[in-house]
Amino acid sequence: MGHVFGPVFSRRLGLSLGVNNIPYKVCTYSCAYCQLGRTLKLSIERRPYSNPGEVAEEVRDALEEVGEVDYVTIVPDGEPTLDTGLGDLIEAIKDAAGVRVAVLTNGSLLWLKEVRDALSGADLVSVKVDAGDEATWRRVDRPHKALSFGRVIEGMLAFSREFGGVLITETMLVSGLNDGVREAESVAEVLAALSPAVSYVAVPTRPPAEEWVRPPSRVRVSEYVKVLEGRGLRVAALVRGEDRPPRCGEDLLRCVLETIRVHPLPLEHIEAVARERGLGAGDVIRLALGEEGVRIIEFGGRRFLVWRPPRAKD
């Protein structure tokens, strides 16, 4: 598989061509709700993971096949800022394809100036603020033991002051963990200091790492949003899964396999794309299930094709 997948229809970014620059599940967090499963290599060690020139060529080739997109988004199997080549990767993609580049990061390494500098060339950066205090942060995001909540927030604040592009935030709510009014008030304080263009409040809509994870009720989400809006924040709630299938090229099986490495796909989306090509979705799904780690998981009343390999690739 290559480093590029999609494009998929993002609830935040429109039509987004994804770039995967990190091996499966190398991350600074092991979030309870992660759609990619549990982190198998918890790390804060930055090292070279991608070849910027090769990835940029993949992006250019993909865009020639699928057409224009709203963003090329670096949203990998793990934490993108662990890649020491991230800054060069952003620059290479923009030079090769002339597109806007977004990076979705948990923000845990922004206390490092080298990471802030690497992200400075992006057009849009999304950071994750799931909690406003150390205890809740550790329950939800389950970070590397060397990280501290205070340092992570200080890094985000430094980045918000320095960054010249669009900064947005995402807060994922898990029922019974961080969806109360008290938690909303502490998160609102952090977000107000960051002053993002938009604060997204999301709930799990794809199969999470832990089977016990459930989305809060619509009422709880509404109460949470009201607290944030009370601090003058522009808030958007993401409580429904995507309702549009990915835009795939000619090789549907390859598109499906590359996409589920980072983005679980509802079976009905695969069926819809197959029908457009006069194909039987059953054949595509059966072939995908023949690949190691690919399986079907039901969540929220939908069946998803997901990738859950037994070990991290390094």
Side-chain angles (χ1 to χ4, degrees):
M1 295 292 102
H3 296 86
V4 176
F5 66 94
V8 297
F9 289 94
S10 166
R11 295 172 293 177
R12 290 163 291 179
L13 304 177
L15 187 62
S16 168
L17 184 71
V19 172
N20 186 3
N21 69 319
I22 295 287
Y24 179 81
K25 216 51 183 64
V26 181
C27 195
T28 57
Y29 288 175
S30 185
C31 298
Y33 58 78
C34 184
Q35 64 185 14
L36 298 174
R38 295 177 182 174
T39 292
L40 301 181
K41 185 174 181 182
L42 199 61
S43 176
I44 61 168
E45 178 188 356
R46 301 190 73 229
R47 50 180 286 193
Y49 280 113
S50 66
N51 183 315
E54 289 182 3
V55 177
E57 287 184 13
E58 286 186 46
V59 169
R60 184 177 57 203
D61 291 345
L63 291 175
E64 287 179 357
E65 182 177 3
V66 301
E68 294 184 1
V69 297
D70 295 302
Y71 282 95
V72 170
T73 306
I74 300 174
V75 52
D77 285 341
E79 170 50 39
T81 61
L82 285 169
D83 183 6
T84 54
L86 178 60
D88 291 337
L89 177 58
I90 293 169
E91 183 178 353
I93 292 171
K94 296 181 80 169
D95 288 345
V99 292
R100 293 187 295 178
V101 174
V103 182
L104 308 189
T105 169
N106 61 29
S108 60
L109 298 180
L110 288 173
W111 48 275
L112 294 169
K113 185 178 185 302
E114 66 204 60
V115 171
R116 300 197 301 273
D117 289 345
L119 287 169
S120 64
D123 296 283
L124 180 147
V125 172
S126 174
V127 298
K128 186 173 294 297
V129 185
D130 292 331
D133 63 86
E134 180 107 19
T136 305
W137 173 66
R138 292 198 176 278
R139 287 198 303 271
V140 179
D141 292 342
R142 304 189 297 195
H144 189 283
K145 63 182 179 181
L147 294 172
S148 72
F149 180 74
R151 193 176 221 184
V152 168
I153 298 302
E154 285 174 8
M156 290 186 187
L157 291 172
F159 182 70
S160 71
R161 293 190 295 266
E162 299 167 5
F163 185 49
V166 177
L167 176 67
I168 63 175
T169 62
E170 180 176 341
T171 302
M172 182 68 79
L173 301 184
V174 177
S175 180
L177 282 189
N178 65 338
D179 60 334
V181 170
R182 182 186 65 81
E183 288 81 9
E185 290 170 345
S186 61
V187 166
E189 184 174 348
V190 173
L191 295 180
L194 291 175
S195 190
V198 184
S199 296
Y200 289 93
V201 175
V203 301
T205 59
R206 304 176 193 135
E210 304 298 341
E211 293 182 357
W212 49 262
V213 165
R214 290 291 180 271
S217 68
R218 294 289 181 95
V219 172
R220 294 283 276 186
V221 174
S222 178
E223 292 172 347
Y224 196 103
V225 167
K226 285 179 182 178
V227 172
L228 302 192
E229 290 177 335
R231 293 296 299 267
L233 293 159
R234 181 185 173 196
V235 186
L238 305 177
V239 296
R240 296 177 57 188
E242 292 90 348
D243 56 6
R244 300 175 70 182
R247 180 188 291 176
C248 290
E250 291 301 317
D251 192 338
L252 178 54
L253 178 61
R254 182 181 179 89
C255 174
V256 168
L257 291 174
E258 288 179 339
T259 301
I260 64 173
R261 287 177 59 191
V262 181
H263 189 295
L265 284 176
L267 295 192
E268 68 261 28
H269 285 186
I270 300 172
E271 292 163 356
V273 176
R275 280 197 303 271
E276 291 175 358
R277 289 162 169 72
L279 301 174
D283 292 336
V284 175
I285 294 169
R286 186 182 70 256
L287 288 170
L289 288 170
E291 298 289 325
E292 182 182 20
V294 178
R295 54 197 176 103
I296 294 173
I297 296 179
E298 185 171 340
F299 182 75
R302 304 175 89 181
R303 300 176 75 210
F304 293 81
L305 197 67
V306 304
W307 191 55
R308 295 283 195 270
R311 58 184 177 84
K313 296 181 179 180
D314 197 357

